[in-house]
Amino acid sequence: MSFDTNIIKSIEIFVALVETGKTTVAAEVMGLSQSAVSQHLSLLERTFDVTIFDRSVRPLQLTPAGTLLHRHALRILGGVEDLVTDMRHQGARPISHLRVGIQASIATTLTPDLVALAKADFGVEDMTIHAGQSKDHEGLLRTRKADLVITSDPLYDLDGLERHPIMTESFLLVLPQSYIGPTGSIGELLEHLPLIRFAATTNVGRLTEQHLRRLKVRAPRVIQADRSSMVTACVARGMGFTFLTPSLLIDGFVEKMPLNIRPLPITGFSRSITLLARDRELGKLPVAFAAMTKKVLAQQVARQMGPAGINAIQFSQVQE
């Protein structure tokens, strides 16, 4: 039997679809169109002359042949990953090119120190750095376009990763510096200012929506953005208030935006920052990166926000 050269890619897409359960999600994770995903699945079915999904039911279910293919697919992709790892560890400089994904809100803050660390201590010659959201980082790891990511989603459903917690940070109430109205409750605030929020497609947006539901507060959608700098710029102009964590506020304070931060009234909520890397591929580099990330963020939050920012953060113990 002769195989199409795209067979490994098709197997990877098949596994992504099985893990996510939806063609739309698998397509987004793999950076493809839905039609491209369907074409790769058709290639597998033609190659092996089987039907791998029962398309008469929703959600999609594997046929017996699909179940067998999934079992073999995991072993095949695991073997490919082992091959890549072994080949990258050949030669005097096993990490000559390092690919890193960083949460957009802290990418500017972290990049210079992480680049300097990688080059000075680990002999990295070239670094590719992607700034993005947690959903972008999942795609980068699944498709091996990143070696490690610093992100707000620990991706516990993704196997084969080493996880190094950096910190847990509470969301703060962020007001225009000129605001002098009541702040005793979110309801009172909404009578004077609209809520400016992250888009619902982002992790911060989802956390905010969950918090509002817990409080049984309805906040009209007035402004939604997918970058913290856009949110803080609108707040600084007096266009509303928002909920952000210290790390999401760094860029706004660096740009000296007129912001007033304080603890949330009544119940609060939080998010975590974690460094994720493929298990045992990068030696001691992930631990060193985690320690540097913790150090740089602590210094920058203290410098820009003082006690109000630092008191909202609980730093994790980086494991050696």
Side-chain angles (χ1 to χ4, degrees), residues 11-34:
I11 290 173
E12 188 177 24
I13 292 167
F14 165 66
V15 169
L17 178 54
V18 173
E19 290 179 351
T20 60
K22 293 183 178 179
T23 304
T24 52
V25 179
E28 183 177 359
V29 166
M30 299 300 297
L32 300 170
S33 65
Q34 291 185 54

Side-chain angles (χ1 to χ4, degrees), residues 50-288:
V50 295
T51 299
I52 56 180
F53 282 106
D54 183 350
R55 294 173 173 81
S56 66
V57 296
R58 289 290 183 272
L60 287 175
Q61 291 183 8
L62 289 170
T63 64
T67 301
L68 180 61
L69 176 61
H70 185 238
R71 188 160 62 244
H72 282 288
L74 293 176
R75 288 202 295 267
I76 290 167
L77 295 181
V80 171
E81 289 186 4
D82 289 343
L83 171 62
V84 172
T85 299
D86 289 345
M87 296 308 293
R88 290 193 68 196
H89 283 76
Q90 301 302 306
R93 294 181 181 271
I95 317 175
S96 60
H97 180 203
L98 182 67
R99 302 160 301 175
V100 179
I102 305 178
Q103 199 77 29
S105 57
I106 53 178
T108 301
T109 299
L110 294 177
T111 293
D113 290 283
L114 293 183
V115 169
L117 174 63
K119 290 181 176 292
D121 290 11
F122 296 93
V124 174
E125 296 175 349
D126 183 25
M127 281 181 67
T128 299
I129 303 171
H130 305 272
Q133 306 293 334
S134 56
K135 65 177 182 179
D136 304 317
H137 301 147
E138 179 179 4
L140 290 172
L141 285 172
R142 285 189 186 275
T143 58
R144 301 194 67 90
K145 293 179 181 176
D147 302 303
L148 67 82
V149 299
I150 300 169
T151 184
S152 61
D153 185 347
L155 300 177
Y156 288 124
D157 62 335
L158 194 56
D159 295 329
L161 299 178
E162 54 181 278
R163 293 173 174 83
H164 302 279
I166 305 297
M167 65 186 189
T168 299
E169 52 179 354
S170 299
F171 279 78
L172 297 165
L173 177 62
V174 186
L175 300 161
Q177 206 169 70
S178 58
Y179 179 72
I180 57 173
T183 59
S185 72
I186 303 303
E188 285 182 331
L189 267 169
L190 285 169
E191 292 176 3
H192 295 79
L193 289 172
L195 174 64
I196 301 170
R197 64 175 89 191
F198 266 72
T201 55
T202 66
N203 190 41
V204 172
R206 289 189 291 272
L207 288 173
T208 300
E209 189 61 36
Q210 291 166 7
H211 182 65
L212 292 173
R213 283 201 299 269
R214 283 195 297 270
L215 296 179
K216 295 181 171 55
V217 171
R218 290 192 61 191
R221 297 182 183 276
V222 179
I223 301 172
Q224 298 182 72
D226 66 356
R227 290 291 186 271
S228 58
S229 56
M230 293 188 284
V231 174
T232 50
C234 290
V235 173
R237 287 282 298 272
M239 299 170 69
F241 72 98
T242 193
F243 309 132
L244 292 177
T245 65
S247 71
L248 289 165
L249 284 161
I250 289 175
D251 285 350
F253 275 91
V254 167
E255 295 179 20
K256 302 191 182 304
M257 293 183 186
L259 302 169
N260 180 4
I261 61 172
R262 58 183 69 184
L264 284 175
I266 315 176
T267 307
F269 62 117
S270 63
R271 74 166 187 171
S272 63
I273 300 293
T274 306
L275 185 146
L276 310 176
R278 294 197 170 275
D279 197 22
R280 297 188 299 276
E281 286 194 9
L282 300 175
K284 296 181 179 180
L285 187 145
V287 171

